Amino acid sequence: MLTRRREVALARLSLLLLFWREVCTIEVPLDPKIQQDLKQPPTIVKQSLKDYIVDPRDNIIIECEAKGNPVPTFSWRRNGKFFNVGKDPRVTMRKRSGTLEIGFRSGGRPEDYEGEYQCFATNDFGTALSNKILLRVSKSPLWPKEVLEPVVVTEGSPLVLPCNPPPGLPPPHTFWMNSAMMPITQDNRVSMGLNGDLYFSNVLAKDSTTDYSCNARFMFTHTIQQKNPFILKVQTKEPFNDTSGFNYTDLYSARGVAETTPTFLAPSGTVSSKMVLRGEELLLECIAAGVPTPSIKWFKKGGDLPMQKVRLEKFNKTLRVVGVSEEDSGEYICMANNKIGSIRHSISVQVKAAPYWLDRPSNLVLAPDENGRLVCRANGNPKPSIQWLVNGEPIETAPPNPSRKEMGDTLIFRSVQIGSSSVYQCNASNEHGYLLANAFVSILDMAPRMLGPKNQLLKVIENKRTFLDCPFFGSPLPELRWFKNGQGSGLDGGHYRVYINGTLEIKRVRPEDQGTYTCVASNIMGKVENQVRLEVKEPTRIDRAPAHLTVTRGSLARFDCRVKSDPTLPITVTWLKDDKPVNLGWRLKKDKDSLSIPNVHEGDEGTYTCTVKTELDEDSASARLTVLDRPDPPMDLELSDLAERSLRLTWIPGDDNHSPIRQFLIQYEENHWDPGKWQNLTSCPGNLNTIILELSPFINYQFRVIAINDIGPSEPSLPSPRYRTSGAPPDAIPGNIQGMGTKKTNMEVTWKPLPDKEGNGPNLRYVVWWRRQDTADEWKNITTKEAKHVVHNTDTYTPYEIKVQAINDFGRGPESHVVIGHSGEDRPTEAPTNLQVSKVDSTKVNVHWNPVDPSSIMGEFKEYRAYYWRESSLLKGLSVNQEKKTKGFYVTSDEPTGILTGLIPYSNYKMYMVVANKQYEGPQSNTVKFQTKEGVPAAPKFFKIVQRYPDVYLEWDKPLEPNGILIGYMLKYQTVNGTRLGRMHMENFLPNVTDFSLRLPDRYTHYKFFLAARTQVGAGEVYAEESPHFTNEAYSKDQVDIATQGWFIGLMCAIALLVLILLIVCFIKRSRGGKYPVRDKKDLPLDSVDQKDQDGSFDYRKKSVPTRPFRRSDEDNKPLQGSQTSLDGNVKESDDSLVDYGEGGDGQFNEDGSFIGQYTVKKDKEETEGNESSEATSPVNAIYSLA
């Protein structure tokens, strides 16, 4: 029998699987155009609750909303019968809706409309049903009138005060208060049960101090009703005093209450049962009586309590299980115990279930001749029964449908046809409730439609996986094919894949995939197509990514971000710092390929990300900026291991700011000798944070530490506490001890005093000892605070032994070593004798003399000092400087000699000699005369070059120091073109020739000249010059551009003003018809200094330039008319000269030429008496004469 059942079950399962494979359901898209044209049976979208409780004070609204195409019409059934809405004036139905609204403004009772309502929504394709809605009106009845007698109870006995609230709809919420409207305090002894009663595990005398009233709160009407209060009278063995203190542990024994074992007040007995529905809350309670008050514990037989779902409330008296499921059924045990004993109560919990869905039927849209199915599976306890309805009528009584077959909880549809659309209802019910679900079967035929945008342009990145969407709809389901560029067969296979929803996948798009793609959807109703234009773009990538940077504070940080992308796609480059946008502004600058951060500081440190975006893709790269900075200052300086001359200094290093600390510098400050001045004491490596410091006595120290890394030193730390060392005798010896006389009868002893910090104590002073050397004399001494001592009444230049010692109030320091000093010197008494010279040269001479007796030096020998001077030159007329010069010879031999250098050739010299000690010179020796020989001359005094194409003119002057008889000049020159030099040419001139001219081959030729004067000895110092680069340019090394001199600019302004005045006067005279006699000034030689006339006017004398420049003849000394000399002696030709207008005389120019050249304005006879004429320089010549 069992085997037979298994075979039947397997056969049914195989049949269901077969049908499942044949199902082909159409999913209707939510496109508004499709939905608008789609014919659809009705669907309930909104309805009221199954158990619907309403407030009697409001209108009653029973909701029923449905959708469908055509729009559904609505009807109602009440208590299983047709409810004619139109006949009841209080009932209205909303437009395009099935929602009922029942109003009571014109009278009527809400209770009259209580009952079971069901909504029907109908159109051409079927009828949908709502749930059966049980409508009930909320009720809040009053407490029954009753007179409650006082409750008398013995202290220690249990007590239950009943509440019995009136039955309301929904049931009221109960709570206990006293007459003063104060809540009754609940604890493990006094608590309210699930039924609303108030339980006392045992009564105490203090319970009689208040009354007890049960209150019921009705949720819909928001009202609270109060029951008449209970009054307790507790019979006690001991009087109760609520002001007296007591201990709860011995409360009962103190009051004479007998202890009792626990008993259950609720539930009664030892066993009980409880039924709960799946998904609801399970509430179990155990309230026990006894003295002392029992405690409650809960257990579940055969397992642990599901703690994730269990909550213990009301002092463990109530067990609440939320979201009950089948596994929560079983036996629950509560145990009450006190020190007298314990009892148990077992509650058997049964979990039942109203129907719940396992597989809810859903709407089915099929094309003609397609197959489908509706499944309705539900579960419950007991197992629910399944009933199918068609358009609200049982399927058994509905019109037959040959394409439909019922198989228990499943309806099978095969080869459906147009016109068989319906709404099916599945009703699953058991004794605890029911489920109702609507599902329509719609038979749809529709030509293919494209749902996406037309002729879409799609841009994609090369090598990316790409999808070309072609959403479509039709019934029957259309066949979709893809074509590229309108050619070839359908695209499918290879790196193409077509999905059932019409999407074409290109697994890895390439540039050759670019083009126009056409999707075509077709079924028996027709076909439709759409196009997608595909453009393949180069990927966007960062070609040169930013690199990690480690920079010093204050420097420039630059992150690169060079991008390569498709040229047709605009790009956006953004920078992030620690995932937040960078604030670009006056400091942070972004250009095309980089981000620059000048003057970096620690706030700039972080991770910088360059993000490059286009409309299609993006790329990013990150780099870390680390800022190196000087260390933070050390902290928390601590002094330890304190001793007389040392201590230990410890500190906490600050942050090294990414550059390791190489060294710690320890400084100190003392507040006596140099208060406020910090001085270096010592240093230690950067890996240490403690050091032993060696200290000096009698100093009040405080210390600070500076950390040093490769970037620089930190700020100093805060100072340490002060530490004063004790005093001690001096440790050091005064340095640089000397003894020398300032007079021939004294000796001044000096030394370098000890620094204040080395005094080691107060009242630092010095003990000075001295005695004559090589004698047995006793040491003489003196104590002083000064750094010197003068010993008087000494012999001249006598050696003394000297030593110095430092002392203070704590004792004497070490003595110094013995130092030899001398008393003062006197003038030497002898002169060197037999002074003579030999081997006289042009610039040097050998000197010989006889030495003096050493004892006559009267001090420490310093040198033999020769005094010499240039008496005259052997050249006549050459003035010389007769300044006396000296040279010392440190010679101690018996036949001393020396060489006197730096002499001027061809000169007469005189010389004498003295002997000198440290302070004085002795008497003079005999004076000797000698003549230096002829030498090579010095450089020419000046060397000028004037270049006027096609010639170059050279001029020079003889040397200031000829150093002999000049025999001529040697000139060498060569062409210069950048770094290339031409062949060297040489010219020799007689001593009276001081000029030379050279013809230029072209105006771009440039020469370098080398000029030297010659004597019989040879050529002297060379004077080198280069010719100017431009024509009509004169050049001299000594030339000064006076045009930039302030005095020259002022003078030119004055002359311009004077010329303006003269022009005005001339204009006035001309208007009177006056004549202007013009006189050519005679050429006058140029004096070295401009001469003033007696009337204060200047007489400018012009040095001439030859008509043929620098002709070697007597005409060289003649002036050239029209020439002028600049203030520095350079010669320029005048652009305007009287030569151009004929030779002078006293002829007069006409008015047109009166302003050219020089002219004299004749004045009236009265004005000219005593003066022959008044001359004025022409404006042009006046300017050129000063240029």
Side-chain angles (χ1 to χ4, degrees), residues 148 299 317 383 430 707 867 1009 1106 1160 1179:
L148 299 178
F299 307 95
K317 297 177 185 179
K383 182 73 175 177
N430 64 10
Y867 285 86
F1009 299 94
T1160 302

Side-chain angles (χ1 to χ4, degrees), residues 774-835:
D774 300 331
T775 64
D777 295 347
E778 292 186 359
W779 290 91
K780 297 179 181 179
N781 70 80
I782 189 173
T783 302
T784 179
K785 290 186 176 181
E786 304 297 328
K788 68 177 182 177
H789 174 67
V790 179
V791 179
H792 297 281
N793 300 322
T794 62
D795 295 333
T796 300
Y797 199 64
T798 303
Y800 283 85
E801 294 179 343
I802 306 168
K803 59 183 180 179
V804 181
Q805 180 186 33
I807 64 173
N808 61 19
D809 290 350
F810 289 95
R812 294 176 176 268
E815 294 182 359
S816 69
H817 297 294
V818 174
V819 176
I820 304 301
H822 291 82
S823 57
E825 298 178 326
D826 201 354
R827 293 186 180 277
T829 57
E830 292 185 5
T833 58
N834 194 22
L835 178 64

Side-chain angles (χ1 to χ4, degrees), residues 85 141 163 273 390:
V85 176
C163 179
S273 62
V390 182

Side-chain angles (χ1 to χ4, degrees), residues 196-216:
D197 295 346
L198 188 64
Y199 291 86
F200 293 80
S201 294
N202 50 75
V203 177
L204 296 178
K206 66 176 183 176
D207 295 333
S208 62
T209 59
T210 185
D211 55 6
Y212 302 86
S213 177
C214 183
N215 295 262

